[in-house]
């Protein structure tokens, strides 16, 4: 329970509150402001996880997202796989354990909520470190709309891990003042715990805000757990900082080995001593601060090992004053210890040769090989990178339109320089936006960075062996030996090397290992680092939960549900629904004890024998208006539309330019210059788009306008021999006799002042009237029809009965009886293909060789000879070999069953099918394999009920 | 995720737009006069350059109007957008 | 030391893969495109036909295009006879490929479920299954309760927006490790003496009448007896140089991967209506394909809205994926054809052979098309499995339309 490595005071944690958590079954405590990693370090625990391939212990090796070591699994409050202990904010009741390579998903659904917000700004600043804060302040003072996002719990960036002084006060005070000033600007959005993870074109940045994760079980249920910010910014300032780079040496993966800057952060921010006895191994001046700070905090710094031959004369003095031994021209060649480093092996390095090593006892080995600017977002936006010899790192090589990189992300590594760079980049952004700078205060005064010595680029310390414990990518257990194998195998491209070794493919996507791998590979191949380059940076910058990206588009909101105006009535009547596109359509209305077959047989019989009613409101409806409307439709339909008389209706077929049927439906001529076009339910949007495309791009000279009226008009076919009685009763003003209101005509009327349109259209072969009414009044009209039909036994029916009734008449459903490879002729609809029109869409394709192939599939009817088998839709049709057997595979297929039902009218099952040369096979018997048996079926014409059409007029 | 300049509405999110492929492929004046090879060229064959491409787009979730654009298929950057010439046929 | 996590690491690659060859002056066969199809073609030219004076030209790094970017689903349950024949031929070769290549390609026949969510999906699925059976392809229709047995994490509840009404199941389908496959072919081709030439971009062709005599590259002109174009999304760049057209359009296609997870997903699941295709690869990462971006694009990247939609679909069908993490996204370039079927075979040049238009189906076809292309090149006669996919089908109208009928991409 104790935290022996907690400093007596300091840090940005709230020591007045104690949090309890469990790690690997052990209970520990920490404070608000801790991360899981800092709390574990305070307890003296470095070893966190087990490596994926070799099973080696791994520990906390950095203080934030660049850490390759501290992979954990969260168990409570809800299981979450593979997070870094360094980025998990501590909360009461947290239960976690170290990972052995693979994370574990919860077995129950995640009940947390996720959402997304769009936001538009003039300037988006990514990163609230010194450069980012100055950039945001500068832009805000100029009156720009600003967003500032930062991935940590509080602003400050690198300042949180130092003892820097700005304007004479500790850095946190300057940060607090900056944050307060930003908060006072109404047009500034400042988000912490928000990681910009993707930068796309035109200033589009995706950022993930972790809103309640740090609250643990106390997270309010009415607040989304995480939120995706979709930010569109006119200018983006990337001030994402830099990641310290390790140096590779033998056994460089032991717990207790940590980046120098990370150790400094644990001390200053979290009040944690990462060890008692430290050795620092560095190639640059910046890491000396870590040694000195830890020394002041009571850590015994055994040695500073500086790889540079002369070391750093300036910093050496600082160390000597503190009594710290400095070994220049020396390197760490290896380490000892198992669960924790116990010794660093140190040896002189001269002219590339490593001398004899000696062991220095330590429980903390700090490493710094320089800094890698966080160029991830810049590179994602296709910014080119160049290798900088002085830094030993990749830097932006160009200016991107609308994207600027500032501060250490651009390779500026001193505080004064970062502050100035933030101002410079913001000024440039403002200038580009045409905004005056406004009143700007001076940049904060900081102590000048003492003149120092140039850093040395050192990727690895030769280990005298094969490099098989010199780890490049700790998360993939990939070593220098693996790189050597890859280049030895003949690989030259960094992309191949990455794939061969798997370096950079793990959780951290190579944040620490990527540049090392490039550098070492270049050494192995004897080429410049610029030539090997990096592998491609891809979104996301850090991992993002699937559910966060799914947002609210889950469950019922996954896709919109469209319902008709009468939907509630269908629900109340117990309808079973079918998804058709986004629509919910009643499929059938079972009565107690009925299954679908029984319900459909009843609905069919009732309709053919009396009267039925269908909610056909989902049919697509397009209002086509204009002086050239008739000409326009003539060009789109295969048949002639212009000869249609006002007041009449015609069935039409539409093909693509390839001559294949794409949709069908009826067309009502409302006026000389106006038509109502009906489409299939699923084809409504596509047909409108199709029409608009032709109209706007090919025939703009045609004076036609199009509007979808699908949702404005509800449509109720009233079907069956008694339909005339029902419609006549509800609309007494209309003469519904066949003479006054013949088939394929329409009439307007009104009901209680509400306009209603009636049309004699039949999709069943029966006498039928389609009732069209403004959807606002649809429910009332529907109920009047039901009421008026009651004496006649009116029966509501669903799509299943509709399908049976139309199939009995051989009417195809586009998309069910066709599949994009079927012409009107294949459907037996040559009658719907105009021979008079010089051209229409698809006509020319009918003349291609394949269209006159006698073996084209044609729509026919099938009658199972046993009068009992309902052929499964989709069944294939075959011819048997001599002897009545199925030939061996591949068995030649004649076609397939497109529609199949039990017919109340016929008293037997029947089917529609597309069959090769089908019409010439009428009368033949073919076979359909069903569940291992071969069902003989007779090929018939496609019209099985009332082929004479005697019923349509009642 | 680009901002695409609709010539009528101004810059809008990429998700609002529908892509219409190559521009400048007019419907043949007299399809019946074409042989099968020529007709197939019209129906199925479109250019597919890497680089500058004259295209058609439609602001499908906005004003629903079609327009022409010149875009680089390698960088995805739009060079220009323009309203189709509505005075003559064949702007496809 | 604790025992290592089973499966979380991969078998080692061989100590040597291929020579970084310099181009010679002349080859009997020049294959343009060092992706899976080009490398497989090279391998089978050597193995089946003894033709080894061959160069494979790659403008970047070998197998760095779609081969390095795909989601590795292998199956042969296509609708049309022509399609199932070539893909089944390929699947049979996959079944012996590890031995043929002497490379641990991790071909795992874990089965594929193609989910049906609407009644029309069910009809199309049954149609495809029945056709598959008659064509000798293993396939069955499974009801939702069987779907749950095969893949317990699929949401088979009736209470979702598009409930699972059943699925087609092909037990012999599966996945493989893409780089290993490519490198296996490359190593065999290299061993046979074939030159694999990287950083060698084709800039033009030297022609003599209806023959191509040489290939101009950034590394000089190379004389060629025969030329095979295996450049997928970049095919039209080459055919533009040759002055003939092929009806393919290049589109971005994105994919993504999660962190390593304990085994949770035992098979491959594809859904067209909800648009998911996902497997759990050997190390434990979830590998998922997203939708095709609508516009032509060679940028190997697409819009993030497509990834977001993909995540919504994934969590809808697999609620347990909610807290899996997106680790990396990337894009490839798919070459789509008008009928969603490949275009393979002869060209207007008598010694140039075409292989493109595979769209999202290229990976699974790799050994099959390599074999058939090698046959076509060596014998100067389209292999029967590729004959139906000739360029002239767009003139006759005899398409192999895999859109409407099965509508199962990938």
């Amino acid at each position: 329970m104790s935290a022996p490595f907690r400093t007596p005071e300091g840090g940005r944690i709230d020591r007045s509150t104690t949090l309890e958590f469990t790690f690997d079954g052990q209970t520990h405590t920490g404070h608000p402001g801790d991360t899981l990693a800092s709390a574990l370090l305070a307890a003296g625990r470095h070893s966190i996880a087990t490596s994926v391939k070799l099973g080696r212990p791994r520990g906390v090796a950095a203080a934030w997202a660049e850490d390759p070591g501290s992979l954990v699994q969260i168990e409570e409050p809800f299981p979450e796989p593979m997070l870094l202990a360094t980025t998990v904010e501590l909360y009461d009741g947290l239960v976690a354990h170290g990972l052995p390579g693979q994370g574990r998903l919860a077995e129950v659904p995640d009940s947390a909520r996720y959402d997304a917000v769009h936001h538009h700004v003039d300037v988006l600043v990514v990163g609230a470190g010194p450069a980012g804060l100055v950039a945001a302040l500068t832009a805000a003072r100029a009156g720009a709309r600003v967003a500032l996002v930062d991935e940590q719990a509080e602003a400050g960036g690198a300042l949180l891990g130092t003892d820097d002084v700005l304007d004479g006060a500790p850095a946190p005070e300057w940060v607090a003042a900056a944050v307060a000033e930003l908060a006072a600007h109404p047009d500034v959005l400042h988000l912490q715990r928000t990681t910009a993870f993707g930068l796309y074109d035109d200033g589009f940045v995706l950022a993930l805000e972790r809103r309640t994760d740090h609250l643990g079980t106390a997270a309010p249920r009415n607040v989304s757990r995480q939120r995706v910010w979709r930010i569109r910014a006119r200018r983006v300032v990337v001030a994402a900082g830099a990641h310290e780079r390790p140096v590779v040496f033998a056994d460089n993966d032991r717990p207790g080995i940590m980046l120098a800057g990370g150790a400094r952060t644990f001390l200053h921010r979290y009040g944690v001593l990462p060890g008692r006895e430290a050795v620092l191994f560095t190639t640059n001046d910046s890491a000396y601060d870590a040694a000195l700070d830890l020394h002041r905090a009571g850590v015994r710094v055994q040695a500073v090992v500086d790889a540079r031959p002369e070391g750093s004369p300036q910093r050496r003095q600082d160390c000597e004053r503190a009594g710290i031994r400095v070994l220049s021209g020396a390197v760490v060649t290896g380490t000892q210890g198992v669960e924790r480093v116990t010794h660093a092996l140190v040896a002189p390095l001269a002219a590339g040769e490593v001398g004899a090593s000696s062991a220095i006892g330590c429980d903390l080995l700090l490493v710094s090989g320089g800094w890698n600017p966080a160029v991830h977002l810049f590179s994602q936006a296709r910014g080119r990178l160049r290798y900088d010899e002085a830094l030993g790192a990749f830097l932006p090589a160009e200016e991107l339109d609308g994207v600027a990189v500032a501060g250490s992300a651009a390779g500026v590594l001193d505080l004064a320089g970062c502050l100035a760079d933030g101002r410079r980049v913001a000024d440039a952004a403002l200038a580009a936006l045409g905004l005056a700078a406004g009143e700007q205060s001076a940049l904060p005064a900081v102590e000048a960075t003492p003149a120092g010595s140039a850093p040395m680029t050192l990727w690895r310390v030769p280990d005298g062996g094969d490099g098989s414990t010199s780890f490049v990518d700790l998360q993939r257990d990939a070593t220098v030996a693996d790189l050597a194998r890859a280049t030895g195998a003949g690989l030259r491209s960094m992309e191949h090397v990455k794939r061969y070794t798997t370096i950079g493919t793990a959780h951290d996507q190579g944040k620490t290992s990527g540049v090392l791998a490039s550098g070492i590979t270049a050494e192995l191949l004897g080429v410049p680092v610029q030539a090997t380059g990096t592998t491609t940076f891809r979104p996301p910058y850090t991992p993002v939960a699937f559910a966060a990206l799914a947002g609210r588009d889950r469950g019922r909101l996954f896709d919109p549900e469209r319902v008709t105006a009468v939907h509630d009535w269908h629900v109340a009547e117990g309808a079973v629904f079918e998804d058709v596109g986004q629509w919910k359509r009643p499929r059938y209305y079972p009565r107690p004890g009925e299954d679908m077959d029984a319900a459909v047989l009843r609905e069919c019989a009732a309709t053919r024998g009396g009267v039925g009613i269908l909610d056909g409101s989902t049919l697509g409806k397009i209002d086509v208006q204009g002086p050239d409307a008739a000409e326009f439709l003539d060009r789109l339909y295969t048949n002639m539309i212009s000869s249609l008389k006002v007041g009449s209706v015609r069935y039409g077929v539409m093909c693509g330019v390839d001559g294949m049927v794409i949709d069908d439906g009826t067309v009502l001529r409302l006026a000389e210059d106006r038509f109502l076009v009906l489409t299939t339910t699923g084809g409504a949007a596509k047909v409108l788009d199709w029409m608009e495309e032709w109209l706007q791009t090919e025939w703009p000279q045609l004076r036609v306008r199009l509007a979808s009226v699908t949702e404005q008009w509800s449509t109720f076919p009233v079907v069956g021999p008694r339909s005339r009685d029902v419609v006549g009763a509800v609309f007494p003003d209309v003469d519904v006799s066949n003479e006054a209101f013949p088939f394929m005509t329409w009439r307007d009327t009104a009901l209680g002042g509400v306009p209603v349109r009636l049309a004699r259209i039949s999709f069943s072969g029966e006498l039928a009237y389609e009732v069209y009414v403004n959807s606002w009044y649809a429910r009332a009209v529907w109920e009047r029809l039901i009421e008026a039909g009651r004496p006649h036994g009116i029966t509501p029916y669903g799509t299943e009965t509709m399908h049976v009734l139309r199939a009995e008449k051989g009417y195809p459903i586009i998309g069910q009886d066709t599949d994009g490879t079927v012409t009107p002729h294949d459907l037996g609809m040559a009658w719907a293909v105009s021979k008079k029109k010089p051209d229409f869409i698809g006509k020319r394709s009918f003349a291609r060789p394949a269209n006159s192939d006698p073996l084209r599939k044609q729509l026919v009817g099938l009658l199972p000879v046993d009068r009992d088998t309902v052929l499964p839709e989709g069944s294939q049709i075959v011819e048997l070999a001599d002897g009545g057997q199925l030939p061996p595979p591949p068995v030649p297929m004649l076609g397939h069953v497109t529609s199949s039902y039990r017919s109340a009218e016929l008293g037997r099952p029947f089917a529609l099918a597309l069959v090769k040369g089908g019409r010439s096979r009428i009368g033949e018997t073919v076979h359909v394999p069903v569940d291992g048996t071969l069902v003989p079926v007779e090929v018939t014409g496609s019209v099985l009920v009332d082929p004479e059409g005697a019923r349509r007029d009642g | 995720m680009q901002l695409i300049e609709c010539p009528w509405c101004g810059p809008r999110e990429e998700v609002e737009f529908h892509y219409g492929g190559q521009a400048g492929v007019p419907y043949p004046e007299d399809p019946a006069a074409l042989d099968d090879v020529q007709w197939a060229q019209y129906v199925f064959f479109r250019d597919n350059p890497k680089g500058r491409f004259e295209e058609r787009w439609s602001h499908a979730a906005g004003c629903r109007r079609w327009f022409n654009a010149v875009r680089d298929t390698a960088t995805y950057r739009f060079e220009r957008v323009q309203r189709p010439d509505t005075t003559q046929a064949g702007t496809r | 030391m604790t025992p290592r996590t089973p499966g979380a690491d991969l078998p080692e690659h061989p100590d040597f893969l291929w020579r970084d060859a310099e181009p010679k002056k002349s080859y009997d066969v020049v294959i343009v495109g060092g992706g899976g199809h080009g490398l497989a073609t090279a391998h089978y030219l050597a193995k089946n036909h003894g033709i080894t004076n061959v160069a494979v030209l790659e403008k970047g790094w070998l197998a760095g295009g779609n081969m390095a970017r795909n989601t590795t689903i292998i199956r042969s349950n296509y609708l049309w006879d022509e399609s199932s024949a070539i893909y089944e031929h390929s699947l049979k070769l996959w079944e012996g490929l590890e031995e043929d290549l002497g490379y641990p390609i991790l071909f795992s026949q874990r089965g594929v479920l193609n989910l049906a969510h609407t009644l029309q999906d069910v009809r199309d699925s049954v149609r495809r299954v029945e056709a598959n059976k008659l064509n000798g392809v293993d396939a069955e229709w499974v009801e939702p309760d069987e779907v749950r047995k095969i893949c317990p994490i699929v949401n088979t509840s009736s209470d979702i927006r598009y409930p699972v009404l059943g699925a087609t199941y092909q037990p012999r389908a599966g996945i493989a490790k893409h780089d290993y496959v490519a490198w296996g072919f490359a190593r065999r081709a290299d061993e046979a003496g074939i030159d694999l030439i990287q950083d060698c971009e084709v800039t033009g062709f030297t022609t003599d009448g209806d023959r191509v005599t040489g290939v101009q590259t950034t590394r000089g002109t190379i004389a060629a007896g025969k030329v095979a174009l295996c450049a997928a999304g970049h095919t039209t760049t080459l055919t533009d140089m040759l002055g003939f057209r092929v009806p393919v359009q290049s589109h971005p296609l994105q994919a993504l991967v999660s962190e390593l997870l304990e085994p949770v997903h035992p098979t491959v699941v594809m859904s067209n209506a909800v648009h998911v295709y996902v497997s759990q690869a050997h190390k434990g990462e979830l590998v998922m394909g997203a939708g095709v971006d609508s516009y032509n694009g060679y940028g190997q990247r697409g819009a993030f809205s497509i990834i977001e939609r993909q995540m919504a679909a994934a969590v809808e069908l697999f609620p347990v994926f909610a807290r899996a993490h997106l680790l990396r996204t990337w894009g490839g370039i798919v070459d789509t054809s008008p009928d969603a079927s490949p275009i393979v075979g002869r060209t207007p040049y008598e010694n140039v052979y075409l292989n493109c238009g595979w769209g999202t189906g290229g990976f699974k076809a790799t050994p099959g098309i390599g074999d058939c292309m090698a046959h076509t090149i060596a014998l100067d006669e389209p292999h029967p499995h590729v004959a139906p996919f000739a360029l002239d089908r767009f003139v006759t109208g005899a398409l192999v339309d895999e859109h409407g009928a099965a509508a199962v991409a990938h």
Side-chain angles (χ1 to χ4, degrees), chain A residues 50-57 78-83 100-110 112 114 197 200-201 204 206 225 228 230 382 476 482 485 488-493 495-496 498-500 502 505-507 509 536-540 542-550 553-556 558-562 578-579 581-584 587 660 800 803 815-816 819-821 848-851 857 872-876 878 886 889-891 893 896 898 916 929, chain C residues 1-10 12-20 61-64 68-69 79-81 103 117-120 122-124 126-128 130-136 160-163 178-180 183 198 254 256-264 273-275 282-284 286 288 299-304 307-309 311-316 319-331 393-399 401 403-405:
Chain A
T50 313
S51 78
V52 66
K53 193 166 147 187
L54 304 172
R56 289 169 71 107
F78 191 88
E80 180 152 6
M82 207 172 285
L83 295 175
Q102 291 174 327
R104 190 178 62 77
L105 294 173
E107 280 159 24
V108 294
D110 180 5
Y114 301 83
F197 63 83
Y200 288 78
D201 298 303
F204 189 66
L206 287 140
R225 175 181 174 239
V228 172
R230 300 173 183 154
R382 318 312 271 182
R476 289 295 319 147
D482 294 320
R485 278 196 76 224
L491 301 180
R492 298 294 174 267
S493 159
E495 294 285 356
H496 282 145
K498 165 186 159 180
R499 285 165 166 78
Y500 191 97
T502 71
T505 63
H507 184 268
Q509 290 286 294
T536 316
F537 290 90
R538 299 279 192 181
T542 51
V544 182
F546 284 15
L549 296 172
D553 295 347
R554 297 167 60 181
R556 287 176 64 91
F558 174 70
D559 202 32
E561 274 181 15
R562 299 175 76 184
E578 172 189 2
D579 286 309
Q582 291 174 327
W583 289 99
K584 291 283 182 192
R587 190 178 180 195
M660 301 304 165
E800 198 66 25
H803 283 181
Q816 175 172 342
D819 60 6
T821 70
R848 295 178 303 179
N851 287 62
K857 290 179 184 166
E873 290 169 345
S875 297
Q876 295 287 338
V878 298
L886 206 56
V891 181
M893 286 166 254
H896 76 284
T898 59
K916 283 181 184 169
Chain C
M1 297 216 305
T2 51
R4 70 189 200 180
T5 310
D9 62 316
L10 299 171
E12 296 282 353
H13 294 284
D15 284 336
F16 190 78
L17 289 171
W18 62 82
R19 297 164 291 126
D20 197 28
W61 41 285
L62 221 54
R69 296 158 200 275
L79 172 69
W80 299 106
D81 300 348
Y103 210 109
H117 299 271
T118 66
L119 296 176
Q120 190 55 39
V122 174
R123 293 179 196 107
D124 291 338
V126 171
R127 179 184 178 191
R128 188 160 46 77
E130 293 299 317
N132 289 160
K133 285 180 185 167
L134 293 166
N135 274 322
I160 64 172
R161 181 66 184 84
Y162 293 110
H178 50 5
D179 293 331
Y180 287 56
W183 296 0
Q198 305 181 85
Q254 300 182 79
L256 58 98
V257 69
S258 79
E259 72 268 72
L260 308 190
L261 297 165
E262 290 177 13
V264 61
V274 181
H275 205 97
H282 308 84
K283 296 201 302 283
L286 298 171
M288 216 177 279
Q300 296 185 326
R301 67 200 174 102
F304 195 74
I307 300 288
E308 290 178 304
R309 190 63 192 157
M311 294 291 85
V315 177
E316 175 78 353
V320 302
F321 288 175
R323 292 204 184 183
H325 298 97
L326 174 69
L327 211 61
R328 185 174 177 89
T329 61
W330 64 89
R393 73 179 186 272
F394 299 100
V395 174
T396 64
L399 306 189
D401 196 335
H403 286 123

Side-chain angles (χ1 to χ4, degrees), chain A residues 512-649:
Chain A
T512 52
S513 60
V515 178
L516 287 174
S518 293
I520 296 169
T521 301
E523 275 183 12
L524 292 167
L525 292 174
V527 299
V529 180
Q530 178 72 40
T532 55
T534 64
T535 56
T536 316
F537 290 90
R538 299 279 192 181
Y541 169 65
T542 51
V544 182
F546 284 15
L549 296 172
R552 302 202 59 191
D553 295 347
R554 297 167 60 181
R556 287 176 64 91
L557 297 181
F558 174 70
D559 202 32
E561 274 181 15
R562 299 175 76 184
V563 296
T564 72
V566 196
H567 185 75
D568 292 347
W569 190 93
H570 304 316
V571 173
E573 290 294 312
V576 173
F577 289 87
E578 172 189 2
D579 286 309
V580 182
Q582 291 174 327
W583 289 99
K584 291 283 182 192
R585 297 197 71 178
R587 190 178 180 195
Y588 58 97
Y589 299 79
R591 288 186 181 164
E594 275 184 345
D595 61 7
M596 185 177 83
D597 279 358
V600 170
L601 283 172
R602 171 181 54 73
E603 290 173 13
C604 286
T607 303
R608 288 220 189 275
V611 60
I613 184 168
L614 172 77
D615 184 359
S617 304
T618 62
L619 284 179
K621 299 165 211 86
I622 302 168
D623 192 343
V624 181
Q625 298 192 42
D628 297 318
E631 166 68 19
F632 175 67
L633 295 176
D634 269 353
R635 296 184 189 187
L636 288 176
Y637 281 94
T638 59
N639 47 342
M640 189 80 87
I641 303 294
S642 55
S643 59
L644 184 64
K645 291 184 172 55
V646 174
S648 287
V649 181

Side-chain angles (χ1 to χ4, degrees), chain C residues 315-357:
Chain C
V315 177
E316 175 78 353
L317 269 187
F318 298 91
V320 302
F321 288 175
R323 292 204 184 183
H325 298 97
L326 174 69
L327 211 61
R328 185 174 177 89
T329 61
W330 64 89
I333 309 169
V334 292
D335 45 337
T336 61
S337 72
D339 59 357
S341 284
I343 303 170
V344 185
R346 295 186 189 285
T347 69
Y349 291 88
E350 65 179 35
N351 62 338
V352 177
Y353 306 89
L354 183 64
N355 170 31
C356 66

Side-chain angles (χ1 to χ4, degrees), chain A residues 621 668 676 678 713-715 755-757 759 761 770-773:
Chain A
K621 299 165 211 86
L668 285 64
L676 181 67
L678 283 98
W713 288 105
S714 288
T715 310
V756 172
R757 177 168 296 144
I761 297 169
E770 291 186 351
V771 180
Y772 293 75
V773 63

